[in-house]
Amino acid sequence: MGTSRVKERLLAAEPEAGAAAGFAHPEVTSESTGSFTRGRHSREDVEDQPAGRPSVISQIFRPIGWISIVGGLVLLELAAFLFWGTGMKTAAAQTELRNEFAQIQQSAARGTFKRPVNGESIARLVIPRLGLDMIVVEGVGHEELTRGPGHMPETAFPGSNGSSVISGHRTTYASPFSNIDQLEPGDEIRVITAEGESVYSVTKSYVILPVDTSVTLPLAPGEKPRLRLTTCHPRFSAAQRLIVEADRIQEPRL
Amino acid sequence: MTIGARRAFKWTLLVAIAVAVGLLLWFVAFPYLTTLLPENF
């Protein structure tokens, strides 16, 4: 059996296998042009674009794709950090502040009391309706509010006979005041200081612009001692401030 | 080194770099970035 007979038999049984083996099928190939007529691409196309070499379009879009993926992952991590990571920092600070506050209460019981500096614990804020129980620190700067709700220093001390303001984050840093919009008139707010436990009753809530500082003004004659809780409004924005006002219904009691 | 081993090494290296960059962002870059924000909500 000659070589030509072997080619003919092989092509008759398996035309594609024959083509792969380098035998030209007389019905499907053209010897004159050498082009491959059965497949989607001509032989020239395949030779123009060797396997493994990306086209110009993919060379342009591949880096853009990778940059988009990496950028998206970084943004996702940033969002996770803002909503949960910051809360972890606040939770750790609150544990430390609770121990500090217990020591302050003990020293107050011994009659020694020093004026708190910014960042120190000054009170325990309890709002039963929201399940909130956090230590309040002195000051409302960035660093102080990362530790928990902060007392505005220029306002009266919480529990005292004046107008007191406590601010807290609404979305980040454990979001202590996340749900104060749910407080209704009559809801209790308890403030425990070294002088004892005071109870406030919510009277109203309203929204103001950040430039409006009227909430920090002292009480007018005849007004009841008051506590104001302030936070950002709406949620995920600092465009406005939500204020919850509460009148004191119980003086500090040990 | 076989092709499989090279591929495994490449991916292990990539994941290690990604984790290192992620930790750097979480513990260094993002805490610093939040202090630069004009307002925190």
Side-chain angles (χ1 to χ4, degrees), chain A residues 11-29:
Chain A
L11 287 168
E14 293 282 333
E16 287 178 6
F23 306 144
H25 193 286
E27 290 176 6
V28 295
T29 61

Side-chain angles (χ1 to χ4, degrees), chain A:
Chain A
M1 189 182 287
T3 312
S4 59
R5 295 283 300 275
V6 173
K7 284 181 187 175
E8 279 173 20
R9 284 191 173 185
L10 193 59
L11 287 168
E14 293 282 333
E16 287 178 6
F23 306 144
H25 193 286
E27 290 176 6
V28 295
T29 61
S30 166
E31 290 288 336
S32 57
T33 61
S35 61
F36 196 42
T37 56
R38 278 190 71 193
R40 287 182 188 170
H41 305 287
S42 67
R43 182 169 287 165
E44 285 83 356
D45 288 345
V46 174
E47 282 170 358
D48 282 350
Q49 204 177 71
R53 187 173 171 184
S55 69
V56 175
I57 291 175
S58 81
Q59 277 182 342
I60 293 168
F61 281 99
R62 187 169 288 182
I64 294 173
W66 276 110
I67 289 167
S68 303
I69 290 169
V70 172
L73 287 174
V74 169
L75 283 178
L76 271 178
E77 191 183 352
L78 176 62
F81 175 79
L82 284 174
F83 299 131
W84 295 290
T86 55
M88 288 158 65
K89 183 183 177 183
T90 307
Q94 282 287 312
T95 307
E96 187 187 313
L97 288 167
R98 276 182 197 283
N99 296 332
E100 188 184 290
F101 186 64
Q103 287 175 0
I104 288 171
Q105 281 183 310
Q106 284 170 4
S107 53
R110 287 196 300 268
T112 53
F113 181 75
K114 66 178 181 67
R115 191 176 175 79
V117 295
N118 279 7
E120 269 187 4
S121 56
I122 60 159
R124 189 174 145 212
L125 180 70
V126 180
I127 307 178
R129 185 181 177 88
L130 304 181
L132 181 91
D133 185 347
M134 289 186 90
I135 300 294
V136 179
V137 298
E138 182 68 357
V140 288
H142 171 81
E143 196 53 41
E144 287 83 42
L145 292 185
T146 63
R147 294 162 66 79
H151 166 241
M152 214 171 272
E154 59 268 30
T155 64
F157 205 76
S160 67
N161 296 325
S163 176
S164 173
V165 176
I166 295 176
S167 300
H169 281 300
R170 191 153 187 206
T171 311
T172 54
Y173 294 99
S175 48
F177 290 173
S178 172
N179 298 317
I180 62 168
D181 57 324
Q182 293 171 12
L183 287 174
E184 290 172 6
D187 285 340
E188 275 189 359
I189 298 174
R190 295 176 178 273
V191 177
I192 299 125
T193 63
E195 293 170 343
E197 181 176 335
S198 314
V199 181
Y200 292 84
S201 174
V202 173
T203 53
K204 60 180 174 181
S205 59
Y206 49 93
V207 173
I208 59 169
L209 289 173
V211 291
D212 185 352
T213 55
S214 60
V215 291
T216 61
L217 293 174
L219 288 179
E223 283 186 316
K224 282 185 180 175
R226 184 183 295 145
L227 172 70
R228 287 187 175 110
L229 305 179
T230 77
T231 192
C232 291
H233 184 80
R235 218 184 288 265
F236 306 109
S237 164
Q240 296 170 315
R241 298 286 181 271
L242 173 66
I243 315 292
V244 172
E245 245 179 56
D247 284 347
R248 196 177 71 184
I249 55 173
Q250 180 191 295
E251 288 185 21
R253 193 181 295 168
L254 287 170

Side-chain angles (χ1 to χ4, degrees), chain B:
Chain B
M1 193 183 266
T2 64
I3 292 172
R6 280 176 65 180
R7 196 169 284 172
F9 175 75
K10 181 183 136 187
W11 279 105
T12 307
L13 196 68
L14 272 175
V15 170
I17 290 170
V19 169
V21 170
L23 289 173
L24 203 69
L25 287 172
W26 188 275
F27 290 106
V28 181
F30 293 157
Y32 175 68
L33 270 178
T34 52
T35 63
L36 298 181
L37 289 173
E39 280 187 291
N40 276 290
F41 38 88

